[in-house]
Amino acid sequence: MTPPPLSEVEITEAEQQLGVSFPQEYRDYLREVSAGGALARLERTGRGWWWAGNDEEMRTLLAVAFPHPDSYAEADDELVEREPQPEAFEDETAYAVAWRAWADEADRFEELKTAGSVAVQEHGCGFSTLLVLAGPLAGTVWWDGRATCDRIVLLSLDHVGDAHPVRFGEWLSHDSWALLPPDWGPRGAPVPVIPR
């Protein structure tokens, strides 16, 4: 059953609790279409407003600007290069301690890659569509493909020409799979997220 839309009062309350302003197109969706439906449901929880299926531990990063993936590519490569290797340690305990510290740093780095965004749609196999809510890219929609390629990629109407990320309203008319870069396999025909 599709959840009913939210009222303007509920949307404003959610924005205030979460510390972000929703893009106008997303506000319109919440108010005119549904609090969820084809998207992750925005609902009241025991800790306040949050999206079903999203990790509530990410709440602290929601108001932090979403980083463009190009901005951390070099740091990502450097982190991978620093992974401790067993042969560099005299005993297994020292290696385990060093590796755990590195893994904690890597986990935090991964969390920061989706700061300022929320998964609005899950696609299975670890893939999801992210709606950016904070920073210069607010209102745009991205593909979280880290499950297979360790990358977050832009969803675009034109990957050959002026590849810019789609905005939420554009995405509703196309579906994520149809907006992926060509190297993600054959592009499917646009199937609207919300049939009109």
Side-chain angles (χ1 to χ4, degrees):
M1 183 172 148
T2 301
L6 297 177
S7 69
E8 185 65 29
V9 170
E10 290 172 314
I11 294 168
T12 301
E13 178 184 90
E15 289 177 316
Q16 290 171 348
Q17 282 185 11
L18 295 166
V20 293
S21 294
F22 298 149
Q24 187 60 49
E25 296 163 327
Y26 183 56
R27 290 178 115 264
D28 293 344
Y29 176 87
L30 292 171
R31 191 179 60 252
E32 298 169 9
V33 180
S34 174
L39 309 183
R41 181 178 181 163
L42 177 60
E43 60 191 1
R44 281 191 182 100
T45 71
R47 293 177 59 190
W49 287 94
W50 194 247
W51 291 267
N54 279 260
D55 181 358
E56 283 211 43
E57 297 305 313
M58 294 298 289
R59 183 183 293 270
T60 60
L61 294 175
L62 190 62
V64 175
F66 177 79
H68 191 289
D70 292 346
S71 71
Y72 55 74
E74 191 174 306
D76 207 6
D77 292 342
E78 187 269 333
L79 181 63
V80 170
E81 287 294 317
R82 285 193 297 108
E83 180 178 0
Q85 300 301 314
E87 60 273 10
F89 296 86
E90 292 184 19
D91 60 65
E92 288 183 25
T93 302
Y95 166 67
V97 168
W99 191 88
R100 181 74 263 155
W102 175 87
D104 290 345
E105 181 184 355
D107 289 347
R108 181 67 176 158
F109 192 83
E110 285 300 314
E111 289 175 353
L112 291 171
K113 290 178 181 179
T114 59
S117 71
V118 61
V120 289
Q121 194 173 54
E122 292 292 334
H123 304 285
C125 300
F127 299 128
S128 62
T129 298
L130 304 174
L131 170 61
V132 178
L133 299 174
L137 295 168
T140 61
V141 182
W142 295 72
W143 178 263
D144 187 348
R146 292 176 296 165
T148 60
C149 73
D150 292 331
R151 293 188 304 158
I152 294 174
V153 297
L154 65 83
L155 296 175
S156 181
L157 294 169
D158 183 11
H159 284 282
V160 178
D162 182 26
H164 67 279
V166 295
R167 300 204 54 83
F168 181 78
E170 295 171 312
W171 172 74
L172 286 176
S173 301
H174 288 84
D175 180 58
S176 297
W177 292 101
L179 300 171
L180 285 166
D183 62 346
W184 274 80
R187 290 170 65 99
V191 177
V193 175
I194 307 300
R196 306 244 178 204

